[in-house]
Amino acid sequence: MKQPITTSLFSLFKVGPGPSSSHTIGPMRAGFLFFNACRGLPEDVLRQAASMRVQLFGSLSATGVGHGTDAAVLAGLLGTAPEDCPPEYLLRLARVPHEKYELDLGGKRLGVSLDDIRHDAVIHKFPYSNTLVASLLDPAGKTLFSREYYSVGGGFVTWKGAVPEAVGAPAHAYSNMNELHALVREHGLNIYEIMLDNETAITGAPRSAIIHQLNELIERMLGSVRRGLDSEGVLPGTLKVQRKARMLWQRAEELSFTDPERLLARLNACAFAAAEENAAGGVIVTAPTCGAAGVIPAIIHAMRYDLRIGDRAIREGFLAAAAVGFIAKNNASIAGAEVGCQGEIGVASAMAAAMLTDARGNRFRYTENAAEVALEHHLGITCDPVQGYVQIPCIERNAMGAVKAYNASIIATGTDPYSHRVSLDAAIAAMAETGREMSCKFKETSLGGLAVSMVEC
Ligand code: SF4
C-alpha cells in the first residue's frame, strides 16, 4: 500500500479568503508561518533585523497580482492566519501599495509593505511550481534568516526541510479508492463511518466535535452562496466582470416549479454565487480549492432546498466527497498549477457527484462511479485564468462542474454499476499523467489558452 491518507477533513476544507487557495490562502499561511518562525529567533538575530523580503516564483509570480497574492503574503507577515481574515482585509491592504505597516516580532518592530513582496522568475528549479522565499534581512540587506515555502494546492503549505507533523495512525488505512472499497466490503462500514473514525484517530478530536465542525462548514458554504446571491456590481480587478448570480437566480425563480429547467437554473445561480464571492475576495471554504469553491455548495443547496435531503444524509454525503478529495490529492494533485483545472473543478465535480450519490442512499459502487464519470469528463482541462483573475473561465466553470456532477450521478445510478469499466483510481492516474505532460503555459501561469486568446475590447 502507498502511504495511507492522514489528512484531516479540516485541512482539506479550509475557511479563508478567496480568490485562490494556492495563490491566496497558501501564501497567506506561508507569510503567517514565517512571522511566527521569526518571532522564535534568538534575540541577537532579531536585534539586527531591519526588513523582510518575500520573493514569489513560478505561477505565484506570473498570476499573483490577479490572485491577490501580494496582499495575502503581507497579511500573513502581519500576523493574520487565513481562517481569521476579516472580510475585505486583503482588498484594503491592496488599495495602498506603498503603505508601511508595523510588524511586531516580539519586542523587535519592523516596517513591511507590499513593496517587500517581489515577483521573481516564472520558470525555476524549485521542486514545486508555487514557491515563496521569505527572508529576514539586516540593514545592509544581508540575510539573517530565510525559509523556502511551497504552496502545494488547496491552501496546503510546506517548506524546505519541514518535518511532517506527527499525527495519529488512521483507524482504517487506505490510499486509493480500491483500498477504501475493500474496507467497506470487509468491515461492512459506510464511507462516512470510515471518515469519522479516521478523523478521530488522526486528530484525537471526539466525534461530536467533528460533526459540529462539519455542520459549520456546510453552513459556511451555504452562507457563501447566500452572500453571492445578494450581491451585485462588478468584481474587483481590471476585467470589470459583472456579477451574474443574482440575475441567474431571479430568472430561475420566474420558472414554474414543474419547469424542468428550474433545478438546473438554480444550480447555475448557486455555483456562480459562491464562485463570485470567492472572486471578490470573500471568505469561502476550499472545496477542494478556492477556484472550485462554488461546485460543492451549489450541490448542497440543491440537496437541501430542491431535493429535500435531510441534514444528516447531506453530512454523510459530504464525507464521501471528502474521501474522493483525499484520494485525488494523495494520488495526483488538486492544484491548478500542478495539473491544470482538471485538478480543481474536475476534482470538485467528482467530489460533488460522490456526495449527491451517497446522500441519496446509493451503495458504494454507484458513488465511486459517479465520481469517476464526473472526473473523466474534466480530464485535460487547462488552467488559463485571464489576467490571472479567478473569474474567466473560473466562475462559469464552477457552474459547469456542478451540472456535470449532477449528471454524473444520474448516469451512474441509472446504469448497472458492474458494467462501468473505468475505476476512479484509473481516472485519477490519467489526471496525474495528463497534468505532468501539460505545458506550464496551461498551469495557472496565464501564459496560454484563454488567458492569451481572449481579445479584450
Ligand atoms: S481555471 Fe480552474 S484551476 Fe485555474 S484558477 Fe480558474 S478555477 Fe482554478
Side-chain angles (χ1 to χ4, degrees):
M1 184 195 284
K2 210 180 150 184
Q3 196 69 0
I5 292 165
T6 54
T7 311
S8 162
L9 293 165
F10 306 105
S11 296
L12 184 68
F13 297 110
K14 282 190 281 288
V15 176
S20 167
S21 40
S22 53
H23 289 57
T24 317
I25 294 182
M28 189 170 175
R29 172 82 53 208
F32 181 66
L33 290 171
F34 190 68
F35 163 76
N36 281 319
C38 287
R39 280 167 69 95
L41 290 172
E43 245 176 57
D44 60 315
V45 176
L46 282 178
R47 215 175 305 120
Q48 300 172 61
S51 63
M52 271 189 184
R53 182 187 63 210
V54 177
Q55 294 155 276
L56 308 176
F57 292 90
S59 163
L60 291 181
S61 174
T63 64
V65 173
H67 287 103
T69 306
D70 305 41
V73 174
L74 180 61
L77 292 177
L78 292 170
T80 304
E83 58 275 17
D84 300 325
C85 184
E88 310 267 308
Y89 181 44
L90 300 191
L91 290 178
R92 283 205 306 275
L93 288 178
R95 259 182 232 127
V96 276
H98 307 299
E99 177 92 12
K100 278 261 180 218
Y101 298 90
E102 195 170 83
L103 172 65
D104 183 0
L105 294 179
K108 178 71 189 187
R109 289 174 184 275
L110 300 179
V112 280
S113 77
L114 288 173
D115 296 332
D116 298 312
I117 321 295
R118 314 274 170 84
H119 289 239
D120 218 304
V122 174
I123 311 289
H124 59 71
K125 293 218 164 84
F126 295 109
Y128 290 93
S129 168
N130 291 327
T131 295
L132 309 84
V133 178
S135 308
L136 186 68
L137 308 169
D138 75 2
K142 196 175 127 230
T143 301
L144 297 168
F145 173 65
S146 178
R147 196 165 265 178
E148 195 175 298
Y149 291 96
Y150 313 118
S151 176
V152 296
F156 290 87
V157 168
T158 184
W159 61 92
K160 189 177 181 180
V163 179
E165 208 183 315
V167 294
H172 312 285
Y174 69 94
S175 68
N176 58 33
M177 203 62 174
N178 193 33
E179 289 164 8
L180 182 60
H181 195 181
L183 288 171
V184 169
R185 262 195 325 258
E186 282 161 26
H187 304 293
L189 293 166
N190 291 310
I191 303 178
Y192 78 88
E193 290 171 311
I194 293 174
M195 293 294 118
L196 288 175
D197 286 350
N198 279 1
E199 186 69 17
T200 296
I202 290 165
T203 65
R207 191 177 269 221
S208 57
I210 297 166
I211 287 175
H212 178 74
Q213 233 178 315
L214 285 170
N215 290 343
E216 271 193 357
L217 276 183
I218 289 170
E219 293 311 319
R220 274 193 179 256
M221 285 182 168
L222 291 172
S224 68
V225 170
R226 273 192 294 274
R227 287 196 309 280
L229 292 177
D230 283 344
S231 304
E232 285 178 298
V234 171
L235 292 170
T238 52
L239 291 174
K240 304 288 174 226
V241 171
Q242 196 79 31
R243 283 183 182 251
K244 297 193 179 85
R246 193 177 165 89
M247 188 182 291
L248 285 168
W249 181 259
Q250 283 165 350
R251 291 274 165 84
E253 291 304 278
E254 285 164 13
L255 300 171
S256 80
F257 282 96
T258 52
D259 192 316
E261 267 187 31
R262 186 180 151 91
L263 175 63
L264 201 59
R266 283 164 62 99
L267 209 50
N268 283 336
C270 293
F272 265 72
E276 286 173 355
E277 264 308 278
N278 174 64
V283 174
I284 49 82
V285 179
T286 61
T289 63
C290 287
V295 178
I296 291 178
I299 295 288
I300 291 178
H301 193 279
M303 288 197 296
R304 184 182 276 181
Y305 300 108
D306 295 292
L307 304 175
R308 304 286 168 187
I309 296 175
D311 286 348
R312 183 181 176 144
I314 291 176
R315 190 173 61 235
E316 291 173 3
F318 189 71
L319 289 167
V324 171
F326 284 154
I327 291 167
K329 182 179 181 303
N330 200 44
N331 294 281
S333 170
I334 55 170
E338 302 274 332
V339 293
C341 199
Q342 50 176 358
E344 295 204 12
I345 298 288
V347 171
S349 186
M351 293 166 73
M355 175 175 69
L356 174 60
T357 309
D358 181 277
R360 290 179 119 176
N362 292 289
R363 282 182 288 123
F364 184 96
R365 199 60 189 256
Y366 289 108
T367 299
E368 176 187 354
N369 291 350
E372 190 286 317
V373 173
L375 183 60
E376 183 181 319
H377 300 290
H378 282 93
L379 289 179
I381 295 185
T382 59
C383 170
D384 49 0
V386 176
Q387 287 188 20
Y389 290 104
V390 189
Q391 299 178 4
I392 304 173
C394 318
I395 296 169
E396 278 177 14
R397 204 166 274 177
N398 274 270
M400 299 308 289
V403 169
K404 280 194 199 178
Y406 203 97
N407 201 27
S409 182
I410 294 174
I411 292 171
T413 55
T415 50
D416 172 9
Y418 297 98
S419 67
H420 196 80
R421 301 297 298 274
V422 186
S423 68
L424 181 65
D425 290 332
I428 289 173
M431 176 172 79
E433 189 201 350
T434 309
R436 264 194 310 276
E437 299 285 324
M438 203 181 267
S439 160
C440 88
K441 285 197 302 189
F442 305 116
K443 295 198 274 193
E444 217 163 350
T445 54
S446 292
L447 296 174
L450 206 59
V452 295
S453 65
M454 191 186 103
V455 179
E456 287 169 57
C457 307

